[in-house]
Amino acid sequence: MTDIDSFEDGVQPDSQTPAIVLADPSEGIRAEVHREYAGKLALAELRIQAAKDEIDLPEGFTDYLDVSRLTDDDGQPIEDVITEILKPFQKKMKFAELQGAGYHRNPAPVFQPRPSLDARHR
């Protein structure tokens, strides 16, 4: 009788015999899928952040990125790295010209005389 037969019969092998542990193939498959989609997830996060910041990325920009640098050891996107990548593309804030706003030394406005209401309706 082999060790496998003794397990099937409900008999425990002695402590000298190593127990047979069957490997769970789903863990390997999960790890492979996680590695495959970690880069796609990081690129999606990059595009989402660019859309939030109203940044138009150049055509083919993401093709040249090393997506392994966008993810941590667990395969999760790193927000700080994504922010640093998008920093050169952010638009500079332009403020409106404030012409005429504030206190001026010569506050006397130039008025043009307007005809009276009576003169307008005649």
Side-chain angles (χ1 to χ4, degrees):
M1 183 181 327
T2 64
D3 289 336
I4 294 175
D5 294 335
S6 65
F7 276 122
E8 291 173 359
D9 295 337
V11 178
Q12 296 291 331
D14 59 351
S15 62
Q16 304 297 331
T17 308
I20 298 172
V21 179
L22 299 175
D24 186 15
S26 65
E27 290 301 319
I29 294 170
R30 282 189 188 126
E32 173 121 5
V33 168
H34 188 69
R35 276 191 305 266
E36 180 181 339
Y37 284 98
K40 292 180 182 181
L41 177 65
L43 288 177
E45 288 289 331
L46 177 83
R47 289 185 188 113
I48 288 170
Q49 188 63 40
K52 284 181 182 177
D53 295 341
E54 297 177 356
I55 296 173
D56 293 327
L57 293 175
E59 186 73 29
F61 174 74
T62 56
D63 297 340
Y64 298 106
L65 285 178
D66 183 10
V67 291
S68 65
R69 293 183 182 232
L70 299 176
T71 58
D72 59 7
D73 296 334
D74 297 332
Q76 298 300 319
I78 305 171
E79 290 181 35
D80 296 337
V81 174
I82 291 173
T83 304
E84 284 296 317
I85 289 173
L86 294 176
K87 195 174 278 188
F89 298 106
Q90 290 179 343
K91 297 175 184 172
K92 304 285 189 237
M93 293 285 295
K94 290 186 178 180
F95 294 102
E97 294 283 328
L98 297 178
Q99 188 174 19
Y103 176 75
H104 298 284
R105 296 298 268 161
N106 188 5
V110 177
F111 288 109
Q112 294 181 352
R114 303 177 88 184
S116 70
L117 291 174
D118 289 337
R120 286 186 209 171
H121 292 291
R122 289 182 188 179

